[in-house]
Amino acid sequence: MTTTSPAASSTQPGYRVQNPSTGEVVAEFPTATDTEIQDAIAKSQAAYTSWREVPIADRAKVVARLAELFTERADELAAIITEEMGKPLSESKGEAEFCTDIFSYFATEGPALAAEQEIKAIGGGRAMIQRLPVGPLLGIMPWNYPYYQVARFAAPNLVLGNTIVLKHAETCPRSALAIQQIMDDAGVPEGVYINVFASHEQIADIIADPRIQGVSLTGSERAGAIIGELAGKNLKKAVLELGGSDPYVVLDTDDVKATAAAAWATRIENTGQACNSNKRMIVMEDIYDDFVAELTNLAKDLKPGNPAEELEGTYAPLSSRAAAEGLHEQLKDAVNKGATLHAGGTLHDGPAAYLAPAVLTGVTPEMRAYREELFGPVAVVYKVSSDEEALKLANDTDYGLGGAVYSTDEERARKIAQRLEVGMANVNGVGEAADLPFGGVKRSGFGRELGPLGMDEFVNKRLFYIGD
């Protein structure tokens, strides 16, 4: 979901809070020592031997308390990530409250999802599939949704009886510590959830440790390749949720203005820094001009603003100056090769991380913007003249996270959505909730989080057979 990741570089930046609205370094935290990392793994393993023996209903009660605390502390949690990564304050609070939904879902539904399943034994006897915990897990989490990403990894695994060593993004130390505090206050036993400020080199050591039974990464494609290689080398189960360049196909509409406004609101959520954002808007030619004009109208004249205030007519910074500069280079490449920038795209003076939300058309395959993920507030719009052309363009990407098709004719939209090469296909809306599985195909990674499939990743699906 991110353009940067804890494992994406060999240079360790250190853990610090740097306000992207100002560029000011607010706080710094020391990286863990090797001894502290080994102690964390040992505690995680020791805690697993007792946590797995706690009845699942009792584990679920602890997870239910986590849900309550995320809502009770939503204002405090929101202020932390607004300062850490520039998320507009109302969205920050919404993210904290969404964690309540996730923990509540697994606390309520988890025991049934993990229940024994009897299967037909054709040769006689009785056969059951048991869903058992596997042991300590490593989670490597990104900066763009500091709470939500942790919740969707931690909630099902805590219910299952696994234990967690959590390495958060270097830019989110305060939110990482806030999560640890919630875990402690909710009654999660010592060692069951441990936050570590690990270095890149230490991540490799943790994955290689025989006590660690799996790793979950949300990060860039590059980070996914590194972590996937380490996991494979050490024969560890991995879940990788990587980048996306989701198609957003508009076949027709009764109200172009409203449809464009909805597409724009989706695109600039979290300042465009979402893996499943509608990064490629594919619009039928008869409504294309009006659609682009409305997007341009929404984007023009916006000014940099304080994300803690969210004043009308302003926009928030990206997560870092480096992120803003990288996105600006992608835009410049497109424009230099013939694309049209209708609005925005201005990189404001540093050290703050402001880049004006942009509308871009005329993107062609020789441009970086055609193949690369644009991780920020840039609406790229393509014009097509037929449903088949729309489908071909939608699938012409190395990514395969999600996609959506919109039409007043639901059956027409369904026919296109059924053929999208993605992990999540949507018609006339985008399904995203605690009970709906999340994940992709192709270079968007593998594995699923949330919903019933989220309980089935780090689990021993053990056959239990009783003969006649």
Side-chain angles (χ1 to χ4, degrees):
M1 179 173 285
T2 60
T3 53
T4 59
S5 161
S9 168
S10 61
T11 301
Q12 178 68 20
Y15 287 79
R16 67 180 187 176
V17 178
Q18 185 168 11
N19 188 332
S21 298
T22 64
E24 177 190 4
V25 176
V26 178
E28 296 183 271
F29 298 81
T31 302
T33 65
D34 290 345
T35 299
E36 288 170 335
I37 293 296
Q38 287 302 310
D39 183 57
I41 297 172
K43 286 181 177 178
S44 187
Q45 174 63 34
Y48 170 64
T49 61
S50 56
W51 183 239
R52 68 184 178 185
E53 300 301 328
V54 174
I56 192 170
D58 293 338
R59 295 197 297 261
K61 289 178 182 178
V62 175
V63 172
R65 180 57 181 150
L66 290 171
E68 295 172 347
L69 288 177
F70 268 93
T71 290
E72 291 175 14
R73 301 180 186 180
D75 289 334
E76 170 193 338
L77 296 171
I80 291 172
I81 59 174
T82 292
E83 181 176 54
E84 279 184 331
M85 48 79 62
K87 189 190 299 286
L89 189 61
S90 63
E91 294 182 21
S92 297
K93 185 175 181 180
E95 179 183 339
E97 292 172 341
F98 190 17
C99 292
T100 290
D101 295 341
I102 294 170
F103 283 109
S104 293
Y105 170 79
F106 286 106
T108 302
E109 303 296 331
L113 292 172
E116 286 187 352
Q117 175 189 355
E118 188 160 0
I119 60 174
K120 186 175 182 179
I122 296 175
R126 296 178 57 206
M128 285 158 282
I129 302 299
Q130 298 176 320
R131 288 174 168 81
L132 306 176
V134 294
L137 306 173
L138 171 64
I140 304 173
M141 297 293 113
W143 49 260
N144 58 335
Y145 289 91
Y147 303 127
Y148 160 69
Q149 301 284 1
V150 174
R152 70 187 198 182
F153 166 60
N157 286 301
L158 291 175
V159 173
L160 282 165
N162 294 318
T163 55
I164 293 169
V165 177
L166 199 290
K167 183 258 182 279
H168 218 314
E170 288 90 347
T171 56
C172 297
R174 281 185 172 165
S175 51
L177 294 174
I179 295 170
Q180 181 70 71
Q181 190 63 56
I182 286 176
M183 294 285 173
D184 296 343
D185 293 346
V188 174
E190 183 180 4
V192 170
Y193 180 99
I194 305 175
N195 177 77
V196 293
F197 290 153
S199 69
H200 301 155
E201 293 77 12
Q202 288 168 336
I203 291 174
D205 293 338
I206 295 171
I207 295 173
D209 193 291
R211 292 167 292 186
I212 297 295
Q213 298 303 307
V215 56
S216 179
L217 165 83
T218 297
S220 68
E221 178 185 344
R222 182 183 177 193
I226 294 170
I227 296 302
E229 180 180 8
L230 288 169
K233 177 182 177 181
N234 291 283
L235 299 179
K236 302 294 176 69
K237 169 67 182 289
V239 169
L240 303 177
E241 199 272 275
L242 310 179
S245 189
D246 289 12
Y248 188 97
V249 181
V250 183
L251 300 175
D252 61 77
T253 177
D254 290 332
D255 188 337
V256 176
K257 185 174 182 179
T259 299
W264 178 253
T266 301
R267 185 66 188 99
I268 63 170
E269 195 270 332
N270 200 25
T271 318
Q273 300 166 119
C275 58
N276 60 331
S277 182
N278 51 340
K279 299 185 179 76
R280 294 179 299 136
M281 301 180 192
I282 300 169
V283 181
M284 206 58 66
E285 61 183 355
D286 59 329
I287 58 174
Y288 171 86
D289 288 340
D290 290 340
F291 189 94
V292 172
E294 182 58 25
L295 291 180
T296 302
N297 184 56
L298 292 167
K300 69 180 183 181
D301 301 326
L302 294 175
K303 305 296 182 185
N306 184 341
E309 297 176 351
E310 297 186 86
L311 299 177
E312 185 176 354
T314 65
Y315 60 89
L318 275 76
S319 64
S320 68
R321 182 68 187 182
E325 290 175 350
L327 183 60
H328 188 242
E329 288 300 315
Q330 290 172 305
L331 284 171
K332 287 199 302 182
D333 174 80
V335 171
N336 290 340
K337 293 175 180 176
T340 300
L341 186 63
H342 297 261
T346 304
L347 178 65
H348 290 257
D349 292 339
Y354 288 97
L355 185 140
V359 179
L360 188 69
T361 64
V363 172
T364 55
E366 65 270 14
M367 301 172 188
R368 292 177 59 194
Y370 189 88
R371 291 290 177 192
E372 295 178 5
E373 180 179 23
L374 299 184
F375 212 68
V378 178
V380 179
V381 193
Y382 296 87
K383 178 166 62 176
V384 292
S385 59
S386 69
D387 291 11
E388 283 298 317
E389 185 183 2
L391 177 65
K392 181 179 179 181
L393 180 57
N395 286 335
D396 188 20
T397 174
D398 294 332
Y399 295 105
L401 191 55
V405 185
Y406 291 80
S407 174
T408 56
D409 182 346
E410 182 180 301
E411 184 57 30
R412 181 187 180 192
R414 281 172 59 91
K415 288 180 179 178
I416 300 297
Q418 288 279 17
R419 297 168 65 190
L420 292 177
E421 297 168 355
V422 297
M424 301 173 289
N426 303 272
V427 173
N428 291 335
V430 175
E432 188 167 7
D435 57 341
L436 301 179
F438 190 105
V441 296
K442 300 197 287 189
R443 299 192 74 82
S444 288
F446 45 79
R448 294 294 182 268
E449 295 178 304
L450 300 177
L453 300 185
M455 289 287 289
D456 253 7
E457 290 293 345
F458 296 103
V459 62
N460 175 12
K461 302 179 186 72
R462 187 173 74 177
L463 169 67
F464 195 78
Y465 177 78
I466 304 172
D468 289 333

